[in-house]
């Protein structure tokens, strides 16, 4: 029985009784040049019509409202990762909707970042140096949301763009959850762990997350201390990606845009400086000890705030219990 055909009793392949046409008209392929939100909605509609489902039926299968399905098809409401994953599950799409979701989110990102994220998703090895903030792959949702909220307050981006950044980050972080994730080596400037983002509670939870990641067998974390001074080889964050074909490419950002570097001489120079940075930075054991020390300082800061508050020591004891 071919695709789109139903038996004479009007039963769908899963056995539910619905009145359907015996042969369904396939929707035309979605225009790949459409803006990402429109393309996601058009693909959702094409897949739905191809199955002969109404918006109500698709909503029932996805466990969402028919109104939301309608809005997404018309690109009137933003798409969520959970929605995309559920669409893949319902249609057996093999990740097609999640990939469209990635493109939808990437449209709201820094120029050049989408190309980098695509390469990052395929890499076998990732080496990064970060200044000022925790690297994106290691950020907790609360930490990432605090950074995005601050960008909105500065009027740098819209709330929709902020939500897209946080959502896209969640997609990127799935790289670390693969059965065999890439080898990840990150050197963070000491400013990354000392700069308070989101308040003491958010920062303490972020540092606790770093401690957990440091125990992962395929993740190495080092801290470049402040006293490295002028011997720090980089004045900007950068990433080196080793691809499946063993080609190494680099990525660096300015305030306005990102740049994927493929020039062999440039990338080789970056890799040489990165090797030196690893040698000059704290060992993994010393780095973890520093992260734990800063976290302890934050914990004490929160304790003092509780003691100095209206409830004081009694509240602190209750919280500790």
């Amino acid at each position: 029985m071919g695709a789109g055909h139903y038996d004479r009793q009007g039963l769908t392949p899963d056995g539910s009784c619905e009145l359907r046409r015996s042969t369904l008209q396939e929707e035309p392929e979605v225009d790949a040049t459409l803006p990402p939100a429109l393309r996601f909605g058009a693909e959702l509609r094409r897949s739905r019509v191809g199955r002969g489902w109404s918006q109500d039926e698709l909503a029932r299968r996805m466990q969402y409202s028919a109104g939301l399905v309608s809005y997404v098809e018309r690109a009137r409401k933003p798409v969520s990762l959970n929605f995309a994953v559920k669409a893949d599950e319902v249609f057996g799409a093999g990740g097609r909707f999640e990939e469209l979701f990635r493109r939808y989110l990437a449209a709201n990102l820094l120029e050049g970042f989408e190309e980098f994220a695509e390469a990052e998703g395929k890499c076998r090895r990732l080496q990064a140096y970060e200044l000022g903030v925790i690297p994106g792959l290691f950020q907790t949702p609360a930490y990432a949301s605090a950074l995005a909220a601050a960008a909105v307050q500065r009027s740098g981006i819209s709330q929709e763009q902020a939500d897209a950044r946080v959502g896209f980050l969640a997609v990127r972080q799935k790289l670390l959850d693969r059965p065999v994730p890439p080898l990840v080596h990150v050197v963070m400037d000491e400013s990354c762990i000392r700069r308070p983002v989101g308040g003491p509670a958010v920062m303490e939870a972020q540092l606790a997350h770093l401690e957990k990641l440091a125990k992962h067998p395929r993740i190495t974390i080092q801290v470049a201390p402040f006293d490295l001074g002028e011997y720090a080889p980089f004045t900007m964050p950068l990433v080196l990606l080793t691809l499946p074909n063993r080609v190494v490419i680099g990525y660096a950002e300015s305030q306005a845009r990102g740049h994927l570097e493929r020039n062999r001489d440039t990338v080789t120079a970056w890799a040489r400086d990165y090797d030196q940075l690893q040698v000059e930075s704290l060992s993994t054991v010393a780095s973890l000890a520093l992260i734990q020390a800063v976290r302890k300082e934050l914990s004490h800061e929160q304790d003092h705030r509780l003691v100095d508050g209206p409830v004081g020591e009694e509240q602190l004891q209750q919280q500790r219990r």
Side-chain angles (χ1 to χ4, degrees):
M1 190 178 295
H5 294 270
Y6 297 85
D7 62 27
R8 295 179 182 178
Q9 284 75 35
L11 297 179
T12 62
D14 63 2
S16 59
C17 183
E18 300 178 52
L19 295 176
R20 301 279 175 82
R21 292 172 292 175
S22 61
T23 302
L24 297 172
Q25 297 296 321
E26 283 291 328
E27 286 281 292
E29 291 293 322
V30 174
D31 183 357
T33 64
L34 285 174
L38 289 174
R39 187 176 178 189
F40 188 101
E43 182 61 31
L44 187 70
R45 182 183 187 281
R46 188 186 78 85
S47 300
R48 175 178 63 77
V49 172
R51 295 292 183 92
W53 296 342
S54 66
Q55 289 181 340
D56 286 336
E57 174 62 13
L58 176 58
R60 182 185 69 80
R61 291 171 181 266
M62 292 185 65
Q63 299 180 337
Y64 284 100
S65 70
L68 179 59
V69 169
S70 175
Y71 278 125
V72 170
E73 287 190 353
R74 291 180 291 147
R76 298 290 298 276
K77 278 195 173 182
V79 183
S80 69
L81 174 59
N82 288 339
F83 189 97
V85 170
K86 195 66 178 178
D88 276 326
E89 178 184 320
V90 166
F91 289 113
R96 183 171 73 252
F97 285 99
E98 189 172 336
E99 175 59 29
L100 289 173
F101 175 72
R102 274 184 81 108
R103 296 178 185 180
Y104 160 76
L105 292 179
N108 294 299
L109 299 172
L110 189 71
E111 179 185 345
F113 193 83
E114 181 181 5
E115 187 180 9
F116 160 72
E118 183 177 353
E120 179 188 59
K122 301 174 183 176
C123 76
R124 298 290 177 85
R125 186 184 185 193
L126 183 151
Q127 299 165 284
Y129 173 65
E130 187 59 79
L131 275 164
V133 296
I134 303 296
L137 288 179
F138 292 171
Q139 290 177 11
T140 64
Y143 185 99
S145 296
L147 290 174
V152 173
Q153 290 178 353
R154 293 193 302 269
S155 299
I157 60 175
S158 67
Q159 185 59 52
E160 181 180 8
Q161 288 174 314
D163 293 341
R165 287 185 181 184
V166 176
F168 190 66
L169 185 60
V171 175
R172 287 177 56 214
Q173 289 176 344
K174 294 175 70 175
L175 180 73
L176 303 179
D177 296 327
R178 291 179 180 175
V180 183
L183 291 170
V184 176
H185 188 287
V186 171
V187 177
M188 291 181 287
D189 183 78
E190 189 173 342
S191 60
C192 297
I193 63 173
R194 291 202 179 271
R195 183 188 300 275
V197 172
V202 169
M203 197 64 199
E204 184 185 1
Q206 174 63 73
L207 295 179
H209 185 57
L210 284 182
E211 291 178 32
K212 180 181 177 181
L213 290 172
K215 299 175 183 177
H216 193 290
R218 297 182 70 82
I219 295 176
T220 301
I221 296 176
Q222 289 183 265
V223 174
F226 285 141
D227 60 14
L228 193 57
E230 70 274 17
Y231 293 101
F234 303 115
T235 58
M236 61 182 180
L238 66 84
V239 181
L240 296 169
L241 300 175
T242 302
L243 302 179
N245 61 2
R246 299 185 180 181
V247 169
V248 180
I249 59 177
Y251 176 78
E253 292 181 348
S254 67
Q255 188 70 15
R257 62 183 54 85
H259 171 65
L260 205 61
E261 181 61 67
R262 293 186 173 87
N263 180 275
R264 185 174 180 179
D265 291 339
T266 301
V267 173
T268 298
W270 286 2
R272 182 181 62 246
D273 287 343
Y274 190 87
D275 288 343
Q276 185 63 33
L277 177 66
Q278 289 180 246
V279 173
E280 299 289 350
S281 297
L282 298 179
S283 69
T284 55
V285 173
S287 296
L288 181 58
L290 180 58
I291 292 170
Q292 291 170 333
V294 175
R295 182 188 174 199
K296 188 174 181 180
E297 292 172 12
L298 287 169
S299 180
H300 286 165
E301 181 180 341
Q302 292 186 80
D303 287 351
H304 286 306
R305 288 186 178 186
L306 287 171
V307 170
D308 294 338
V311 180
E313 184 64 28
E314 181 180 349
Q315 181 180 351
L316 175 59
Q317 294 299 330
Q318 289 177 351
Q319 186 186 62
R320 285 174 172 171
R321 287 197 292 267

